[in-house]
Amino acid sequence: MHKTAIGIIGASGYSGVEATHILAAHEKVELRLVTSDRWQGEAVSRRLGTMGAVGQLKYAPLDKSAELARECEVVLLATPAESSLQLVPGLLAAGVRVIDLSGSFRLRNLASYPAFYNFTHSAPELLEQAAYGLPELFRERIPGAKLVANPGCYATACALSVAPLLRAGLLDEGSLIFDAASGTTGAGRKGSEDLSFSEVDEDFRAYRVLRHQHTPEIAQTLAGVAGRTVPLTFTAHLLPLKRGILVTAYGRLRPGATAAEARAALEQAYASCPFLTVEASPDAVNLKGVVGTNRCTVAVAADTTGYDPGRVVVTAAIDNLVKGAAGQAVQNLNLMMGWEETLGLSTLRGFNP
Amino acid sequence: MHKTAIGIIGASGYSGVEATHILAAHEKVELRLVTSDRWQGEAVSRRLGTMGAVGQLKYAPLDKSAELARECEVVLLATPAESSLQLVPGLLAAGVRVIDLSGSFRLRNLASYPAFYNFTHSAPELLEQAAYGLPELFRERIPGAKLVANPGCYATACALSVAPLLRAGLLDEGSLIFDAASGTTGAGRKGSEDLSFSEVDEDFRAYRVLRHQHTPEIAQTLAGVAGRTVPLTFTAHLLPLKRGILVTAYGRLRPGATAAEARAALEQAYASCPFLTVEASPDAVNLKGVVGTNRCTVAVAADTTGYDPGRVVVTAAIDNLVKGAAGQAVQNLNLMMGWEETLGLSTLRGFNP
Amino acid sequence: MHKTAIGIIGASGYSGVEATHILAAHEKVELRLVTSDRWQGEAVSRRLGTMGAVGQLKYAPLDKSAELARECEVVLLATPAESSLQLVPGLLAAGVRVIDLSGSFRLRNLASYPAFYNFTHSAPELLEQAAYGLPELFRERIPGAKLVANPGCYATACALSVAPLLRAGLLDEGSLIFDAASGTTGAGRKGSEDLSFSEVDEDFRAYRVLRHQHTPEIAQTLAGVAGRTVPLTFTAHLLPLKRGILVTAYGRLRPGATAAEARAALEQAYASCPFLTVEASPDAVNLKGVVGTNRCTVAVAADTTGYDPGRVVVTAAIDNLVKGAAGQAVQNLNLMMGWEETLGLSTLRGFNP
Amino acid sequence: MHKTAIGIIGASGYSGVEATHILAAHEKVELRLVTSDRWQGEAVSRRLGTMGAVGQLKYAPLDKSAELARECEVVLLATPAESSLQLVPGLLAAGVRVIDLSGSFRLRNLASYPAFYNFTHSAPELLEQAAYGLPELFRERIPGAKLVANPGCYATACALSVAPLLRAGLLDEGSLIFDAASGTTGAGRKGSEDLSFSEVDEDFRAYRVLRHQHTPEIAQTLAGVAGRTVPLTFTAHLLPLKRGILVTAYGRLRPGATAAEARAALEQAYASCPFLTVEASPDAVNLKGVVGTNRCTVAVAADTTGYDPGRVVVTAAIDNLVKGAAGQAVQNLNLMMGWEETLGLSTLRGFNP
């Protein structure tokens, strides 16, 4: 069987490692290129324990990424936003299809880049071309795309939690609140005192409150779904664990709308989505049910205490490195190539003991 | 110096242990009684490593609590709500002053007990007598009280986060959201599969969504502060750590009100409160800064992203076993007895390495 | 392709769950039966998120295990020792091949059962038939076996650490010390105060010191390898993490033997073992390199400090639920059935982020 | 009451913070100086939440340490070994007494410094003057000392585990094994990828195997106790927790010696030691019983399995930052000054919930 040649640029970061694990077992893929300065010259098997052919592959230096990537049909960029911005134009010009895991091509509003990413976008003409790769909400644009902007981890979980309710017109026009918490791998592989075990363990705190860079991305997605601007507040917290994002989203039901309708909206929206599961109660949505997999679990409840009539709460959980990064990238790859959506992803097992 | 005889009923639970640690070093207290079936007959030093006289004290059986407590001037009840309900009338009748750490005497609305605590209140005449022991908000009623209802851990953190803003009239009349997360000691000392290490570690989830029993307690406090009913939603989450509660509270500024006014309201309200610290940013409020101490740290920020004009976020952190239970009980004891508020509490050190 | 019908008895324990995950993706296996009282009647997909056919399988009640197992060619028993002891004779009589994950059929010395397992063995005639399923050391007996006694998790790691050195005659005749530490899943799925998160997190301790039930199992294996009785001490510790066993083994080199020879002995012994990796230094052997996989990493060093001439230290790491239980069971299944040893195991990926 | 002026050099490291917490509550001490570049100019209260006078103290720059320390009667050096080596001669010359928490003055054998600490000792004449500050074993030299070398954390736990057995002549002359594990604060406050939460959590491994710098320190102590060279192997492991060291020590009883004698030796040796507790079984020695305190718990057992006759196992636990560093430094301060040994230390409470 013909296998498609794929490369991973930035393969030693946590998302790059995850992508390597997944693609190593993907039946239609030949993983031909992995680049990393950190692990340059080493075999994948020494670093990841991968058995078989991929285990023999050696990490190439990052600065050869552009050149070596030309032998691939598709590359995944698991690089910082600035690096992606530099690499993408050349890759596309060389006919290589790109799935970019950074934030570089996610936002259509150019002004958001200096405001939230601290750079001026150098390839604005590509923003229109880029398909925002959140298949459960915007499946149609991905198959033909040359460039997929893989969504942010928080943005994925936030959008999936409430989009069906917005689409179904069940929420009032007030602002939505997304209170989210992530494991430490969301911050990437690095050595900083703030992320040291002695500082993070046994602690919990919010960060970048009211200034997180995923805010415009969530807003853009919700506007796309609702057909109107949706005001929102997003808060990120750092959990003392490695993987997973839990979002607790707060909205208000439009007068007359019911909790049953909200649940039905989730179920209908996700009935044909292989990675989405609607749980019976927000209490049943947890990290251990999704970590290690490409799944997203969601559930909704409405106020019964009488203390906040009309309040609706939706919880959603994903693995930030899988559905929030590498897994979703492979899901996008499958759709881009016309393959079955779950290829290479259906056998991922949870880490839950 | 005369020392006041104090007893702790239910001394082997996590709050009881914490109270024992604190009172063992309290200069005006003679800890005369600790009761526990679990540790009956053992010396405190064997269980807690306590040096000095308190270390020699032995745990008495729980069913002797009522009888032995009569030798104390004040007792702390670190017992389940139903046990407190049974013990309190007799203790008061015997002239013993009581600080009850359970929920039994916190709520004035009798209907809340069957709805949220699953029992019908058997001593409704005492509810009016009970002083709600949250000194930073309701200091005046504590000194003369015979019965103090020590606030719930979540309720303490939620109330302290926004009360000054409500009192200052800075918030609009929409509902408030309290998104909170607690360590596992909040669930008490017990062996259940759900609380086993293998299930809790590396996980995070919400629980009792839109039906948590601290909801009416928070509502009662906010109404007391605001002079009106304040609609609210409260969500609890379970963190994979032992101690600490972080609340992220969401409100909306009244038109014309500013972030600076909100911060000033916090600072003025807590200027004379020795355990309250206003941090410069919500990012600076974290568990490691308060765990092990009776402190509560708070901070406020308003939206600057433009995605939710008027949004205000307040974070607050406490140690659920100290400011959320035993420490606050000792603070109440100090006020009840006319002692300095910080006695026995000012030397508590954080566990932060 | 013909698929072999397999059953898992005791499928809701942590080893049973792991076996389900692995067999669900095994190309030569049809997982036909999973039994569990806890999850009786539920679909595997609801509990484990398994996609595909296995996800539709429902848990049958435990007391139907014996009856339903007759439709399987092989069953894995992930049950307590006493349950295995009751089930095995009937299964074998019905022509079902058995891989038993409990300790029931591991020891040839009958007296060890009352001494270390608190029961008298009721089927001593089967002990001789049982093949001890540690393929790296005793591969030859597994293919024809009707009954495989799957080794204990600690016993696996201890034996694999030093067996090659013993076989090569590199160690003196003094006693060996195995200082080992395990994650909490080694204690099984249960709710006890001792295993609650609040008690286990941030703690570390030894348990069952000088009386652990894996001691005779390790001794039996080492005697089999060395051709003589090998005195040994084994100590188990409980780690605040979910999965993984690390063993630090201490021996003494026979006069004249060198560290280089010790390392060569490991490398030669494991050269053809697909799951065994010899690392360059004991410092490089860690849990994160093996957890989630069927791998065992080992490394050896000899004293260079001058403070203990002749001392040799070997470290070994495995995932207690995979190479220490379900993964090794599948490895044994593969060998029993004449399949490639790594089937269903080569694609297991590490949980290391 | 006259208070003794004390300074802490290097007050923002984990040991320095711990010393600050302890000395802030020490009734005979006026903490007059804390130096730290990291926190220079900030008040102690902002960093540590300390109430009272010490909270108002501000961190002075490190390079003023030598000058400012002259106003103190005693200084604690919580600095790297090289910094201590530079500071100590001048401080002593200025009449300031010094308790050095680094390894700079612990070893009498000059050759050990280049071999294990990578520097040549620049003040060998001071090594003889330095009192090794392990009061339970060498109490007599501390009172008059001008310079106390505060023991290493691992070395403290290892020495306290077996010293009474050696002194009592209960062990044979074979080598001893110390298998130890420490929390991450033992590595100090720093940002390195190896110590990041994402790398350390859920992991466990040995490090610096057969080359750890505490080896000669343990050997020196044991030789001092036994009156002969005691061969030994020491292994350190990194635990996924913040504080605490557990040592599992392995020796062999001299023919005729019994477990009861071993236990009696521990009890007699430590009967008058306020911080030492002999537990009934090695299983009862754990981190949660000592973390936060200056305690050391120990217990001994001998082989009853028959698999290793004569084997004796001793476990010992301490908090690496308290009994292993700052607490022991204050214990030494108390003895140096002729104060009661437990001053400022008896009220330290455990962090165990």
Side-chain angles (χ1 to χ4, degrees):
Chain A
M1 187 177 70
H2 169 73
K3 295 201 174 191
T4 299
I6 308 276
I8 301 171
I9 313 300
S12 58
Y14 292 134
S15 295
V17 166
E18 196 67 28
T20 309
H21 278 304
I22 296 171
L23 291 176
H26 191 296
E27 64 186 69
K28 298 219 177 196
V29 162
E30 181 201 347
L31 186 57
R32 188 174 293 175
L33 172 69
V34 286
T35 73
S36 159
D37 283 350
R38 182 188 304 260
W39 295 344
Q40 180 185 338
E42 296 188 70
V44 169
S45 65
R46 287 305 293 178
R47 283 293 174 175
L48 308 189
T50 313
M51 301 177 86
V54 169
Q56 308 309 311
L57 192 65
K58 286 187 177 160
Y59 292 96
L62 262 182
D63 64 10
K64 298 223 170 157
S65 297
E67 179 191 336
L68 295 169
R70 297 178 187 210
E71 296 172 31
C72 300
E73 287 187 50
V74 187
V75 298
L76 271 60
L77 300 186
T79 40
E82 291 87 341
S83 306
S84 290
L85 204 50
Q86 288 193 311
L87 284 164
V88 166
L91 290 169
L92 293 179
V96 181
R97 296 170 86 171
V98 176
I99 298 170
D100 177 29
L101 280 72
S102 85
S104 280
F105 294 92
R106 293 181 195 150
L107 305 178
R108 304 236 179 85
N109 182 352
L110 268 179
S112 296
Y113 288 99
F116 288 89
Y117 283 89
N118 294 316
F119 63 73
T120 301
H121 205 285
S122 58
E125 71 285 0
L126 294 178
L127 291 178
E128 275 305 305
Q129 279 188 45
Y132 186 71
L134 190 47
E136 288 79 10
L137 302 182
F138 309 110
R139 181 177 309 267
E140 63 288 353
R141 287 197 56 198
I142 302 166
K146 300 297 181 195
L147 171 59
V148 168
N150 211 58
C153 52
Y154 279 124
T156 295
C158 292
L160 292 176
S161 70
V162 301
L165 281 63
L166 280 171
R167 270 203 178 140
L170 295 171
L171 299 183
D172 79 6
E173 305 230 335
S175 91
L176 297 177
I177 287 169
F178 298 95
D179 192 286
S182 173
T184 57
T185 54
R189 186 194 296 276
K190 60 188 158 197
S192 75
E193 186 190 319
D194 275 2
L195 293 173
S196 71
F197 186 89
S198 294
E199 296 299 318
V200 170
D201 194 44
E202 302 287 300
D203 196 21
F204 184 61
R205 65 180 178 89
Y207 61 94
R208 291 189 227 152
V209 172
L210 292 170
R211 58 192 165 82
H212 195 284
Q213 74 276 13
H214 281 190
T215 310
E217 184 180 344
I218 302 168
Q220 173 179 289
T221 299
L222 298 187
V225 163
R228 60 173 171 91
T229 297
V230 179
L232 71 94
T233 287
F234 166 71
T235 311
H237 297 78
L238 185 66
L239 285 165
L241 51 83
K242 293 198 281 193
R243 284 166 173 257
I245 284 178
L246 186 86
V247 172
T248 305
Y250 299 85
R252 191 169 292 286
L253 289 174
R254 185 178 46 69
T258 66
E261 288 174 302
R263 177 148 188 212
L266 289 177
E267 285 176 343
Q268 286 161 25
Y270 297 140
S272 62
C273 296
F275 300 113
L276 270 282
T277 302
V278 182
E279 301 285 357
S281 146
D283 298 30
V285 170
N286 55 31
L287 299 189
K288 68 185 170 189
V290 299
V291 167
T293 79
N294 201 48
R295 295 173 76 204
C296 174
T297 55
V298 295
V300 62
D303 182 61
T304 59
T305 65
Y307 288 95
D308 206 1
R311 170 66 62 211
V312 66
V313 171
V314 191
T315 54
I318 61 168
D319 183 325
N320 56 301
L321 296 179
V322 189
K323 183 61 180 167
Q328 186 145 267
V330 173
Q331 189 181 354
N332 283 319
L333 171 69
N334 289 338
L335 295 172
M336 217 180 194
M337 304 301 289
W339 302 333
E340 194 186 346
E341 186 175 358
T342 59
L343 267 189
L345 297 168
S346 61
T347 54
L348 293 181
R349 51 74 49 95
F351 292 176
N352 183 8
Chain B
M1 187 178 70
H2 169 73
K3 296 202 173 190
T4 298
I6 308 276
I8 301 170
I9 313 299
S12 57
Y14 293 133
S15 295
V17 166
E18 196 66 28
T20 308
H21 278 305
I22 297 171
L23 292 176
H26 190 296
E27 64 186 66
K28 299 222 176 196
V29 161
E30 180 201 348
L31 185 57
R32 188 174 294 176
L33 172 68
V34 286
T35 72
S36 159
D37 283 349
R38 181 188 305 259
W39 294 344
Q40 179 184 339
E42 296 188 70
V44 170
S45 64
R46 287 306 291 179
R47 283 293 173 174
L48 308 189
T50 314
M51 301 177 87
V54 169
Q56 308 309 310
L57 191 65
K58 287 187 176 157
Y59 293 96
L62 262 183
D63 63 11
K64 298 222 172 158
S65 297
E67 180 191 334
L68 296 169
R70 297 178 187 210
E71 296 172 31
C72 301
E73 288 187 51
V74 188
V75 297
L76 271 60
L77 300 186
T79 39
E82 291 87 340
S83 307
S84 290
L85 203 50
Q86 287 193 311
L87 284 163
V88 167
L91 291 167
L92 294 179
V96 181
R97 297 170 86 170
V98 176
I99 299 170
D100 177 29
L101 279 74
S102 85
S104 279
F105 294 91
R106 292 179 196 152
L107 305 179
R108 304 238 177 84
N109 181 352
L110 268 181
S112 295
Y113 288 99
F116 288 90
Y117 282 88
N118 292 317
F119 63 73
T120 301
H121 205 286
S122 58
E125 70 285 359
L126 294 178
L127 292 178
E128 275 305 306
Q129 280 188 44
Y132 186 71
L134 189 48
E136 288 78 10
L137 301 182
F138 310 109
R139 180 176 309 266
E140 62 289 352
R141 287 199 55 200
I142 301 166
K146 301 297 182 196
L147 171 60
V148 169
N150 211 59
C153 51
Y154 278 123
T156 295
C158 292
L160 292 176
S161 69
V162 301
L165 280 64
L166 280 171
R167 270 204 179 139
L170 295 170
L171 299 183
D172 79 6
E173 306 231 333
S175 90
L176 298 176
I177 287 170
F178 297 95
D179 191 285
S182 172
T184 57
T185 53
R189 187 194 294 277
K190 60 187 159 198
S192 75
E193 187 190 318
D194 275 2
L195 293 173
S196 71
F197 186 90
S198 295
E199 296 299 317
V200 169
D201 194 44
E202 302 286 303
D203 196 22
F204 184 60
R205 65 179 178 89
Y207 61 95
R208 290 189 226 152
V209 173
L210 292 170
R211 58 192 165 81
H212 196 284
Q213 73 276 12
H214 281 192
T215 311
E217 185 179 342
I218 302 167
Q220 174 180 290
T221 299
L222 298 187
V225 163
R228 60 171 170 92
T229 297
V230 179
L232 72 93
T233 288
F234 165 71
T235 311
H237 297 78
L238 185 67
L239 285 164
L241 51 80
K242 292 199 280 193
R243 284 165 173 259
I245 284 178
L246 186 87
V247 171
T248 304
Y250 299 86
R252 191 169 292 285
L253 289 174
R254 187 177 44 69
T258 66
E261 288 173 302
R263 177 149 186 210
L266 289 178
E267 286 176 343
Q268 286 161 24
Y270 297 140
S272 63
C273 295
F275 300 113
L276 271 280
T277 302
V278 182
E279 302 285 356
S281 146
D283 297 29
V285 170
N286 55 31
L287 297 189
K288 69 185 170 190
V290 298
V291 167
T293 79
N294 200 47
R295 295 174 73 206
C296 175
T297 55
V298 295
V300 62
D303 183 61
T304 59
T305 65
Y307 288 95
D308 206 2
R311 170 64 64 210
V312 66
V313 171
V314 191
T315 54
I318 62 168
D319 183 327
N320 57 300
L321 296 179
V322 190
K323 183 60 179 167
Q328 185 145 270
V330 174
Q331 190 181 353
N332 283 319
L333 171 70
N334 289 338
L335 295 172
M336 216 181 195
M337 304 301 291
W339 302 333
E340 195 185 345
E341 186 174 357
T342 59
L343 267 189
L345 297 168
S346 61
T347 54
L348 293 182
R349 50 74 50 92
F351 292 176
N352 184 8
Chain C
M1 187 178 71
H2 169 71
K3 296 203 171 187
T4 299
I6 308 277
I8 301 170
I9 314 297
S12 58
Y14 293 133
S15 295
V17 165
E18 196 67 27
T20 308
H21 278 306
I22 298 171
L23 292 176
H26 191 297
E27 63 186 68
K28 298 220 177 196
V29 162
E30 180 201 347
L31 186 57
R32 188 174 293 176
L33 172 69
V34 286
T35 72
S36 159
D37 283 349
R38 182 190 303 260
W39 294 344
Q40 178 185 339
E42 296 188 69
V44 169
S45 64
R46 287 306 292 179
R47 283 294 174 175
L48 308 189
T50 314
M51 300 176 88
V54 170
Q56 308 309 311
L57 192 65
K58 286 187 176 158
Y59 293 96
L62 262 182
D63 63 10
K64 298 223 170 157
S65 297
E67 180 191 334
L68 296 170
R70 299 182 184 206
E71 297 171 30
C72 302
E73 286 187 52
V74 187
V75 297
L76 272 60
L77 299 186
T79 40
E82 291 87 341
S83 306
S84 290
L85 203 49
Q86 287 193 310
L87 284 164
V88 166
L91 290 168
L92 294 178
V96 181
R97 297 170 85 169
V98 175
I99 298 169
D100 177 29
L101 280 73
S102 85
S104 280
F105 295 91
R106 293 180 195 150
L107 306 178
R108 303 238 178 84
N109 181 352
L110 267 180
S112 295
Y113 288 98
F116 288 90
Y117 283 88
N118 293 316
F119 62 74
T120 302
H121 205 285
S122 57
E125 70 285 1
L126 295 177
L127 292 177
E128 274 305 305
Q129 280 188 44
Y132 185 72
L134 190 47
E136 288 78 11
L137 302 182
F138 310 110
R139 181 177 308 267
E140 63 289 352
R141 287 199 54 201
I142 301 168
K146 300 298 181 195
L147 171 59
V148 168
N150 211 58
C153 51
Y154 278 123
T156 295
C158 292
L160 292 176
S161 70
V162 301
L165 280 63
L166 281 171
R167 270 205 177 137
L170 295 170
L171 300 183
D172 79 5
E173 306 230 334
S175 90
L176 298 177
I177 287 169
F178 298 95
D179 191 285
S182 172
T184 57
T185 53
R189 186 195 295 277
K190 60 187 158 196
S192 75
E193 186 189 319
D194 275 3
L195 293 173
S196 71
F197 186 90
S198 294
E199 296 300 317
V200 170
D201 194 45
E202 304 286 302
D203 196 22
F204 185 60
R205 64 180 178 89
Y207 60 96
R208 289 189 228 152
V209 173
L210 292 170
R211 57 191 166 83
H212 195 284
Q213 75 275 12
H214 281 191
T215 311
E217 185 179 342
I218 302 168
Q220 174 180 289
T221 299
L222 299 187
V225 163
R228 59 170 171 94
T229 296
V230 180
L232 72 94
T233 288
F234 165 71
T235 311
H237 297 77
L238 185 66
L239 285 164
L241 51 81
K242 292 198 282 192
R243 283 166 173 258
I245 285 178
L246 187 86
V247 171
T248 305
Y250 300 86
R252 192 168 292 286
L253 288 173
R254 186 178 44 70
T258 67
E261 288 174 303
R263 176 148 188 210
L266 288 178
E267 286 176 342
Q268 286 160 25
Y270 297 140
S272 64
C273 296
F275 300 113
L276 271 281
T277 302
V278 182
E279 302 285 357
S281 147
D283 297 29
V285 170
N286 55 31
L287 298 190
K288 68 185 170 190
V290 298
V291 166
T293 79
N294 200 48
R295 297 173 73 204
C296 175
T297 55
V298 296
V300 63
D303 183 62
T304 60
T305 65
Y307 287 96
D308 205 4
R311 171 65 63 210
V312 67
V313 171
V314 190
T315 54
I318 61 168
D319 183 327
N320 56 301
L321 296 179
V322 189
K323 183 61 178 166
Q328 186 144 269
V330 174
Q331 189 181 355
N332 283 319
L333 171 70
N334 290 338
L335 295 172
M336 214 182 197
M337 303 302 291
W339 302 334
E340 195 187 346
E341 186 174 358
T342 59
L343 266 189
L345 298 167
S346 62
T347 56
L348 293 181
R349 50 73 50 91
F351 293 176
N352 183 7
Chain D
M1 188 177 71
H2 170 72
K3 296 200 172 191
T4 299
I6 308 276
I8 302 170
I9 313 298
S12 59
Y14 293 133
S15 295
V17 166
E18 196 66 28
T20 309
H21 278 305
I22 296 172
L23 292 176
H26 190 295
E27 64 187 68
K28 299 222 177 195
V29 161
E30 180 201 347
L31 186 56
R32 189 174 293 176
L33 172 69
V34 286
T35 73
S36 158
D37 284 349
R38 180 190 306 260
W39 294 343
Q40 179 185 338
E42 295 188 70
V44 170
S45 64
R46 286 307 291 177
R47 282 293 174 176
L48 308 189
T50 314
M51 302 175 88
V54 169
Q56 307 309 311
L57 193 65
K58 287 187 175 157
Y59 293 96
L62 262 181
D63 63 11
K64 299 224 169 155
S65 297
E67 179 191 336
L68 296 170
R70 296 178 186 210
E71 297 171 32
C72 300
E73 287 187 51
V74 187
V75 299
L76 271 61
L77 300 185
T79 39
E82 291 86 342
S83 307
S84 290
L85 204 49
Q86 287 194 312
L87 284 164
V88 166
L91 290 168
L92 293 179
V96 182
R97 298 170 85 169
V98 176
I99 299 169
D100 177 29
L101 279 73
S102 85
S104 281
F105 294 92
R106 293 180 195 151
L107 305 178
R108 304 237 178 83
N109 181 352
L110 267 180
S112 296
Y113 288 99
F116 288 90
Y117 283 88
N118 294 316
F119 62 74
T120 301
H121 205 285
S122 58
E125 70 285 1
L126 295 179
L127 292 177
E128 274 305 307
Q129 280 187 44
Y132 186 72
L134 189 48
E136 287 78 10
L137 302 181
F138 309 110
R139 181 176 309 266
E140 62 290 353
R141 289 199 52 201
I142 302 166
K146 300 296 182 199
L147 171 60
V148 169
N150 212 58
C153 51
Y154 279 124
T156 294
C158 292
L160 292 175
S161 70
V162 302
L165 280 63
L166 280 170
R167 271 204 178 139
L170 295 170
L171 299 183
D172 80 6
E173 307 230 332
S175 90
L176 297 177
I177 288 169
F178 298 95
D179 191 284
S182 172
T184 57
T185 54
R189 186 194 295 276
K190 60 186 158 198
S192 75
E193 186 190 318
D194 275 2
L195 293 174
S196 70
F197 186 90
S198 295
E199 296 300 317
V200 170
D201 193 44
E202 303 287 303
D203 196 22
F204 184 61
R205 65 180 179 89
Y207 60 96
R208 291 188 226 152
V209 173
L210 292 169
R211 58 194 165 81
H212 195 283
Q213 75 275 13
H214 281 190
T215 310
E217 184 179 342
I218 302 167
Q220 173 179 288
T221 299
L222 298 188
V225 163
R228 59 173 170 91
T229 297
V230 179
L232 72 94
T233 287
F234 165 72
T235 311
H237 297 79
L238 184 66
L239 284 164
L241 51 81
K242 293 199 281 194
R243 283 166 173 258
I245 285 177
L246 186 87
V247 171
T248 304
Y250 300 85
R252 191 169 293 284
L253 289 174
R254 186 178 43 70
T258 66
E261 288 173 303
R263 175 147 188 211
L266 289 178
E267 285 175 344
Q268 285 160 25
Y270 297 141
S272 63
C273 294
F275 300 114
L276 271 280
T277 302
V278 182
E279 302 285 357
S281 146
D283 297 29
V285 170
N286 55 32
L287 298 189
K288 68 185 170 190
V290 299
V291 167
T293 80
N294 200 47
R295 297 173 74 204
C296 174
T297 55
V298 295
V300 63
D303 182 61
T304 60
T305 65
Y307 287 95
D308 205 1
R311 171 65 63 211
V312 67
V313 172
V314 190
T315 54
I318 62 169
D319 183 326
N320 57 300
L321 296 179
V322 189
K323 183 60 179 166
Q328 187 145 267
V330 174
Q331 190 182 354
N332 282 320
L333 171 70
N334 289 338
L335 295 172
M336 217 181 195
M337 304 302 290
W339 302 333
E340 194 187 347
E341 187 175 357
T342 60
L343 266 189
L345 297 168
S346 61
T347 55
L348 293 181
R349 48 76 50 97
F351 292 176
N352 184 7

